Amino acid sequence: MSYSVNPSVFKSIFAVPTDIVDKHIRLANEHQLKVLLWILRNSPDEPDIEKMCSDLKIDIGDASDYLQYWVLTGVISESGTPADNKKSESISSEKPEKADKIKQQDPKPELPAPAASKPSSAEIATRIEESPDIGYLFNEAQRKLGKTIGYDGQCTLLLLHDHYGLPVEVLFMLIDYCVSVGKTNYGYLETVGRDWGNREIDTLDKAAEQISALRKANSLWIDFSKAVGISNPRPTTKQSEYLRRWSTEWGFGIDMIILAYEEMANHTGKLSFAYIEKVLINWKNLGYKTPAEVENGREEQKAKKPSASGEKSSSASYDLGEFKERSLHGELKYERKKKK
């Protein structure tokens, strides 16, 4: 039987890069391909993620996970913060020779690692014959997930095992975690597993520590989302990483995270975890651990701010906007009174 494309379907077309077929058609799963095709068809420059989720009948958390594949492979780039955008506009508006000089001084961007090849059905069968552990992995994964895993599921597990170096026992812990948070789609499993592989979370102890950090991040998300009015039931993989870093590595509690969010909300009209992180980095450098310490720092700065006559006064008007601007762009510098 032969097949041919009906010519009538070409009356309305849109562009799909050849790399999508040549390099990713075997590696990307159906959901990852769907979100990319929707973006290419509807809004390639500034995707309307909420409309995409509505059209494809997926939630925003899952959509973010699917899009991470294209971000990591360099097909899609994430938007920067408002400050980053302004910086880019500033550079582009400079004289050509100056912009060229800046460009020459910038380090070459690091190219994304080549994507791993998706195994064929024959290769999967060969691996099962070669290693009883692979057959055991597939069977046990089906039991834990409560469903039969087909080609996509087998590819995902084999990719995480053979390419990213996750042992079978670590993959079982990863699957158990995904089931516990209600995210059993292969896109999420692959995204988290790839992150573990890149960070060499390849032992039971490391996996247990990571799962504990993820659960803490999920708990923080519940409190955070309630406080700021976010309806998503769970954070995306990237948001979880922010929360894990802020809480586990830097030791900030939910009260400080919410306070940093309020700082962000006073400067930008949309939620930006990168902006919140800038605020927390500054507080970390200043040694602030509680809202009271932040407030004390503000009061000290207020007391040291010179008055209009040049004298320091504890009752002087305090420029909160100036403090916030400094808190986001570097260490605070105090002006000393000039000697006469």
Side-chain angles (χ1 to χ4, degrees):
M1 182 180 294
S2 62
Y3 298 90
S4 62
V5 179
N6 188 339
S8 65
V9 302
F10 287 103
K11 61 184 178 182
S12 178
I13 62 175
F14 63 95
V16 177
T18 55
D19 273 2
I20 303 305
V21 177
D22 296 343
K23 297 181 180 179
H24 301 285
I25 195 68
R26 296 179 60 216
L27 186 61
N29 63 39
E30 60 177 301
H31 302 292
Q32 292 163 343
L33 288 170
K34 281 183 178 180
V35 298
L36 181 63
L37 287 174
W38 189 97
I39 288 174
L40 292 174
R41 166 65 179 86
N42 294 278
S43 51
D45 294 329
E46 296 183 3
D48 186 338
I49 301 303
E50 291 186 359
K51 187 176 187 309
M52 180 187 74
C53 290
S54 175
D55 290 348
L56 299 180
K57 301 295 188 282
I58 57 177
D59 64 43
I60 293 180
D62 287 338
S64 297
D65 293 332
Y66 301 146
L67 287 170
Q68 278 302 301
Y69 171 81
W70 301 112
V71 172
L72 293 171
T73 55
V75 175
I76 290 178
S77 59
E78 290 183 297
S79 300
T81 61
D84 293 335
N85 294 334
K86 289 179 181 178
K87 184 178 180 181
S88 298
E89 292 173 1
S90 175
I91 292 177
S92 63
S93 64
E94 295 184 47
K95 294 182 180 180
E97 59 271 17
K98 187 174 181 180
D100 290 341
K101 185 176 180 180
I102 295 175
K103 186 176 181 180
Q104 291 174 2
Q105 293 175 349
D106 288 339
K108 293 182 179 180
E110 186 176 336
L111 297 176
S117 299
K118 200 169 185 179
S120 65
S121 298
E123 290 171 334
I124 292 175
T126 300
R127 288 292 289 119
I128 294 175
E129 291 180 2
E130 291 175 345
S131 173
D133 285 347
I134 299 301
Y136 176 63
L137 169 63
F138 291 164
N139 290 331
E140 188 66 11
Q142 289 184 146
R143 187 187 67 80
K144 290 177 177 293
L145 293 171
K147 61 182 179 182
T148 301
I149 60 172
Y151 174 70
D152 283 344
Q154 292 175 344
C155 282
T156 298
L157 293 172
L158 198 58
L159 181 72
L160 296 178
H161 181 274
D162 288 357
H163 184 75
Y164 289 100
L166 298 184
V168 171
E169 60 272 17
V170 171
L171 283 171
F172 288 155
M173 293 187 69
L174 172 58
I175 293 171
D176 285 338
Y177 169 74
C178 292
V179 171
S180 71
V181 298
K183 300 192 72 170
T184 57
N185 65 78
Y186 300 131
Y188 183 78
L189 182 66
E190 181 181 338
T191 300
V192 179
R194 188 191 305 117
D195 176 62
W196 285 21
N198 290 335
R199 294 197 286 123
E200 298 184 351
I201 301 174
D202 52 8
T203 67
L204 293 177
D205 288 342
K206 290 179 180 178
E209 182 179 351
Q210 177 65 12
I211 288 174
S212 176
L214 286 172
R215 293 195 187 283
K216 183 176 181 180
N218 289 338
S219 178
L220 280 173
W221 176 260
I222 293 174
D223 295 335
F224 177 77
S225 60
K226 286 181 179 178
V228 304
I230 298 175
S231 59
N232 290 358
R234 54 183 177 266
T236 65
T237 304
K238 191 168 184 179
Q239 289 170 339
S240 291
E241 177 58 25
Y242 275 119
L243 292 170
R244 184 197 64 80
R245 180 163 57 250
W246 300 342
S247 61
T248 303
E249 294 184 14
W250 299 353
F252 285 118
I254 186 61
D255 51 352
M256 288 290 280
I257 294 173
I258 293 175
L259 187 61
Y261 166 85
E262 293 173 353
E263 295 284 333
M264 176 222 72
N266 290 332
H267 285 79
T268 181
K270 63 179 182 179
L271 176 63
S272 171
F273 274 65
Y275 202 104
I276 295 173
E277 179 151 292
K278 287 184 179 181
V279 176
L280 292 174
I281 286 175
N282 186 70
W283 290 349
K284 175 175 173 288
N285 292 336
L286 292 171
Y288 299 159
K289 291 294 184 182
T290 66
E293 291 174 349
V294 173
E295 185 60 30
N296 289 338
R298 290 172 176 170
E299 292 298 324
E300 290 177 6
Q301 175 66 7
K302 180 179 178 180
K304 292 180 179 181
K305 185 175 177 63
S307 65
S309 61
E311 298 294 331
K312 295 180 181 178
S313 171
S314 59
S315 61
S317 175
Y318 178 54
D319 188 348
L320 182 58
E322 180 182 347
F323 172 78
K324 291 177 180 176
E325 183 67 22
R326 291 184 179 185
S327 72
L328 295 174
H329 299 290
E331 296 289 336
L332 292 175
K333 295 181 180 180
Y334 303 111
E335 297 179 1
R336 296 181 179 179
K337 180 180 178 182
K338 294 182 180 180
K339 295 182 180 180
K340 297 181 180 179

